Amino acid sequence: MDFQKFVDSYSMAAAVLSVEKLGEEHWGEIRIVKANAMYKKIMGSNYKDGMRYDELVQKEANFEDFCYRCAVKKLHLHAYVDTKSLGVWTDGTYIPLSSEFDTDKLSYFVYIFEFTKAPEAERLSDMSMEAAPFIIQTCINLRKAENFIEAMNTAIADIQIKTDSFCSAIFMIDTEKQKYAPLCAKYRNDEATIEDFLPYLTNEVVFSWVDMIKNKDAVFVKDSFDMQEIQKINPVWAKSLIGGGVESVILVPLLNRNKLIGVLFVTNFNTEKFVEIKEFITLTAFFLSAEIANNNLIERLEFMSNIDSLTGVKNRNSMNTRVEWNTNGLMPVHLPYGIIFADLNGLKICNDTKGHKAGDELLKKAAALLKEIFNEDEIYRSSGDEFVIISTECSKDDFEIKIEELRKKASYGNEVCFAFGSHWTDTEEDLRESMQLADEAMYEDKRKYYEAHPEFKTRHE
């Protein structure tokens, strides 16, 4: 066959590539035998017939695996993947050439591709009949779940079944804070838990993934040959995998606007179904990324609408919602509980004499003190200089200890000075009534203080 004439018959970028056979499931060099004009134009002036493909683009294990399966095993393959090293999505088709062209050392195939700047829905939906039902079902489950956690648990359970893996899990990763946390996990063995494997997933291991996957759509380890490659490029992770009894693994980045937000992690999967698994796992990760990013945005908006941006405690809107939820039974305040109303003395005169920046600093210090004393309780900034604390399931003795600590640290003479009132109950009285009693006690505390110290009344109002 005239390979040049053959590839010239394609209007899309096309090339005949050769794969060096080194044994069962192993390959050596992959070279571009002949390419058409479009292929050469995309690859640039460095292109020449017979060169290794990785002399033009970054070496990619998943691409090489597909090359081997197409050329040697004569499988017709298709992949639409995020080629991060080039900043594009690649829609690639792999067509095996007849074995009559093969030699003892080389097998051949045709690679045809197009680039897109962003993922396109029509191309993403062009999936195999084997993968389509699973991906559609996963999307339906994500949409019909009542909440985010249920959606993630359902999706990861589906992935565990579809991959026939020992473990499928999602880990959230914050590269800026250098923190990570498991979001959900499903095991073949119901007795296993994520805590069993966290010793193998140290910070060093998890953050060794970041550089390794930043330019990849996924990492697949299918056998000892792939594991040896991991040992070369990431020995820390390889040691962890071997120590945990992992023989095969999938690691897929979860992204939001090209920023890593987590990973999909699958161990000891059914490697005989690798091609099918690769297709649906990378596409499923695309939808999971969108779901997680959307949830993060919603949580951020909820945080912004319910948290006082200056002090970091909950705001009045959050307090009103809390009272409403208690009334309608959505989130009852569990007995026994205590209520505290704390009014910050001296804020007005601080603003008037030192400026609002100094007043803001005083409010921050006041909130910090309350968080120090009532660190396990609900703290709200209900107005400009007033805070409300709800201390649930708190015994009277424990509540009084907190009150005494507040009195000691926030009485006159301290930088932060509160007038406050409290009410504790172990009966089914109305929460609003309890708050009213605490509020009245706060104003009574303020009145008695100014009766005893009339010289401070104007200064501390």
Side-chain angles (χ1 to χ4, degrees), residues 25-27 61-66 68-69 73 219-228 230 247-250 268-275 278:
E25 302 294 333
H26 295 169
W27 58 87
N62 296 329
F63 171 74
E64 292 188 3
D65 185 273
F66 265 39
Y68 172 83
R69 291 174 185 272
K73 295 193 171 185
V219 173
F220 292 87
V221 176
K222 306 177 295 302
D223 51 30
S224 59
F225 178 77
D226 290 344
M227 188 67 77
Q228 289 172 9
I230 293 296
E247 297 178 353
S248 60
V249 64
I250 302 171
N268 292 348
F269 64 97
N270 186 348
T271 56
E272 293 181 1
K273 295 184 177 181
F274 167 72
V275 174
K278 182 182 186 300

Side-chain angles (χ1 to χ4, degrees), residues 183-221:
L183 175 62
C184 54
K186 177 63 177 176
Y187 296 87
R188 184 185 298 145
N189 178 0
D190 289 337
E191 295 181 359
T193 67
I194 191 67
E195 285 75 18
D196 297 332
F197 301 93
L198 287 180
Y200 299 103
L201 296 170
T202 63
N203 263 47
E204 183 183 18
V205 169
V206 171
F207 286 96
S208 74
W209 299 340
V210 176
D211 286 337
M212 190 175 66
I213 61 178
K214 66 181 179 182
N215 290 323
K216 299 180 183 297
D217 66 319
V219 173
F220 292 87
V221 176

Side-chain angles (χ1 to χ4, degrees), residues 71-84:
V72 179
K73 295 193 171 185
K74 304 304 177 185
L75 300 177
H76 188 297
L77 302 171
H78 171 261
Y80 185 47
V81 297
D82 184 2
T83 311
K84 297 180 178 62

Side-chain angles (χ1 to χ4, degrees), residues 131-279:
F134 170 78
I135 295 171
I136 293 170
Q137 185 61 50
T138 299
C139 291
I140 292 173
N141 288 338
L142 286 172
R143 291 293 87 202
K144 75 178 183 180
E146 293 186 1
N147 56 63
F148 173 70
I149 296 300
E150 179 186 332
M152 292 298 103
N153 281 327
T154 301
I156 208 66
D158 288 345
I159 291 170
Q160 188 276 322
I161 293 172
K162 185 64 176 177
T163 57
D164 190 21
S165 58
F166 174 75
C167 168
S168 294
I170 294 175
F171 289 88
M172 303 303 296
I173 297 177
D174 188 329
T175 55
E176 294 177 358
K177 296 180 180 179
Q178 288 289 292
K179 292 183 178 180
Y180 79 97
L183 175 62
C184 54
K186 177 63 177 176
Y187 296 87
R188 184 185 298 145
N189 178 0
D190 289 337
E191 295 181 359
T193 67
I194 191 67
E195 285 75 18
D196 297 332
F197 301 93
L198 287 180
Y200 299 103
L201 296 170
T202 63
N203 263 47
E204 183 183 18
V205 169
V206 171
F207 286 96
S208 74
W209 299 340
V210 176
D211 286 337
M212 190 175 66
I213 61 178
K214 66 181 179 182
N215 290 323
K216 299 180 183 297
D217 66 319
V219 173
F220 292 87
V221 176
K222 306 177 295 302
D223 51 30
S224 59
F225 178 77
D226 290 344
M227 188 67 77
Q228 289 172 9
E229 292 300 308
I230 293 296
Q231 286 179 305
K232 294 176 185 177
I233 62 176
N234 192 342
V236 171
W237 186 32
K239 181 179 180 181
S240 170
L241 292 172
I242 295 170
V246 174
E247 297 178 353
S248 60
V249 64
I250 302 171
L251 186 68
V252 188
L254 302 176
L255 305 170
N256 179 26
R257 299 184 182 276
N258 293 321
K259 179 182 179 182
L260 184 70
I261 56 176
V263 295
L264 173 59
F265 184 75
V266 179
T267 65
N268 292 348
F269 64 97
N270 186 348
T271 56
E272 293 181 1
K273 295 184 177 181
F274 167 72
V275 174
E276 179 185 340
I277 287 174
K278 182 182 186 300
E279 181 181 16

